[in-house]
Amino acid sequence: QGKRGAVDVVLYAEGGVANPTHWLMVQAELRHAIDRDELVLHYQPKVRFADDEIGGLEALVRWQHPQRGLLPPSEFLPAAEQSGVIEVLTAWVLRRALEDQAGWTALGQSWPVAVNVSARNLEAPGFPQFVAGLLAEHSTPPGQLLLEVTETALAGDAEIVARAVVELRALGIGVAVDDFGIGYTSLSQLRTVPVSEVKIDRLFVIDLDQDPQNQAIVRSVIELAHGLGCRVTAEGVETAQVSAWLAEAGCDDAQGYLYSRPVVWPHLLDLFLHPRST
Ligand code: C2E
Ligand code: CA
Ligand code: CA
Ligand code: CA
């Protein structure tokens, strides 16, 4: 606890506020915000190289703050993760994401939904059963949900987290390693944690068409992930050149501003029904 606390304080300081009193205020305010339904989900599509179709939508939380406007997760997630608020927040995000997923499915697009979860969620006893209960409540097939867990979270309490991932996978829920490549124990970890997808961090994807070192790293990640039966998504794809390089290298899916920024989901339905190319 002590070590992780120190790391989080640094992260929060980078987010712009280093004052612990302010932190407690954010936590209390965030609880009220969740009660008052001030959080909103924006969605970013994941695009398949194979057929250029949307392969799923990732939910990204924002806080529509009554005074400060639309806040990005970096403004409030670190405070939430330091406290029980993250459990309330994740439960809210999961419920809303499953409702939204049912919404676009009813309109004819059965895109799976991806939800980001924190290490603290996976460490909470009974989390996989909690998620299974929500799926049942919404009549959502487990394969229509993907949980994204950062590589650093997987490195936390390895045994507890690995067990949670095994249980989630056994329930038929997808699990992705997020921000892959920036942690220290990357490659070996994939053997012990049975994830279904690897998301390569934006850091390796920027300038991928021009940087031989990143090219070597990304090629080996794709090969290793495929060898373990995982799909590979590249995040932060901003240019057609990078996209072309990834398609050529055998990457499965791409996400990034080239395709769409995170937006409210009906907007993506429009984009899908009226393709960009016409
Ligand atoms: P992430 O899961 O790695 O999400 C990708 C982030 O990169 C998002 O930032 C997205 O808006 C941004 N992004 C997407 N494409 C591009 C691109 O082409 N270029 C650039 N420069 N950026 C791009 P966002 O929405 O601010 O989210 C930041 C992080 O907050 C997420 O990183 C995720 O770790 C966390 N997060 C977001 N929503 C949730 C949530 O509901 N629960 C939890 N626990 N974490 C969340
Ligand atoms: Ca993510
Ligand atoms: Ca990511
Ligand atoms: Ca990231």
Side-chain angles (χ1 to χ4, degrees):
Q1 172 65 41
K3 197 174 153 218
R4 170 128 55 84
V7 171
D8 283 350
V9 168
V10 171
L11 288 177
Y12 199 64
E14 283 173 7
V17 193
N19 182 345
T21 314
H22 182 88
W23 228 7
L24 293 174
M25 282 168 50
V26 173
Q27 289 167 2
E29 215 192 330
L30 192 49
R31 277 186 194 278
H32 285 131
I34 296 169
D35 287 345
R36 282 185 252 122
D37 236 18
E38 285 174 11
L39 299 186
V40 288
L41 293 184
H42 284 183
Y43 290 91
Q44 190 179 39
K46 183 163 76 179
V47 177
R48 284 191 299 254
F49 283 116
D51 56 9
D52 225 17
E53 301 277 337
I54 293 179
L57 304 187
E58 178 179 3
L60 295 157
V61 71
R62 280 95 181 82
W63 180 357
Q64 186 63 64
H65 194 285
Q67 282 87 40
R68 296 168 65 207
L70 194 67
L71 302 178
S74 56
E75 292 277 325
F76 57 90
L77 267 182
E81 284 178 340
Q82 266 304 296
S83 64
V85 178
I86 191 63
E87 300 195 17
V88 185
L89 184 142
T90 299
W92 184 91
V93 172
L94 278 166
R95 282 202 172 88
R96 176 58 55 84
L98 293 178
E99 283 165 22
D100 289 347
Q101 203 275 339
W104 64 68
T105 300
L107 291 173
Q109 302 299 342
S110 60
W111 300 316
V113 68
V115 169
N116 293 282
V117 297
S118 301
R120 208 171 158 129
N121 296 130
L122 291 177
E123 287 165 9
F127 181 71
Q129 289 69 34
F130 171 71
V131 177
L134 291 180
L135 288 170
E137 233 173 79
H138 292 83
S139 310
T140 310
Q144 292 297 90
L145 177 65
L146 179 77
L147 298 181
E148 299 194 0
V149 187
T150 60
E151 187 192 347
T152 17
L154 290 182
D157 195 333
E159 211 177 299
I160 296 177
V161 170
R163 206 180 310 134
V165 173
V166 170
E167 284 179 45
L168 289 163
R169 297 285 296 123
L171 290 163
I173 298 161
V175 178
V177 201
D178 207 350
D179 299 349
F180 190 77
I182 59 172
Y184 296 104
T185 44
S186 309
L187 300 179
S188 61
Q189 215 145 49
L190 288 185
R191 289 184 301 139
T192 49
V193 186
V195 297
S196 45
E197 184 175 321
V198 172
K199 298 189 76 175
I200 303 174
D201 193 72
R202 187 165 77 226
L203 213 64
F204 299 93
V205 175
I206 301 167
D207 292 338
L208 189 53
D209 54 321
Q210 293 166 29
D211 183 331
Q213 281 181 330
N214 281 349
Q215 289 175 355
I217 292 167
V218 169
R219 275 190 209 286
S220 63
V221 169
I222 292 172
E223 193 188 337
L224 172 101
H226 282 168
L228 294 167
C230 298
R231 278 186 85 82
V232 183
T233 299
E235 53 180 34
V237 177
E238 295 186 0
T239 68
Q241 287 82 355
V242 167
S243 168
W245 190 92
L246 286 160
E248 174 74 29
C251 188
D252 300 297
D253 307 295
Q255 237 182 308
Y257 295 167
L258 175 66
Y259 308 98
S260 173
R261 292 190 175 248
V263 290
V264 292
W265 69 264
H267 193 77
L268 292 168
L269 217 51
D270 292 343
L271 194 75
F272 184 81
L273 294 172
H274 310 287
R276 281 158 281 146
S277 51
T278 55

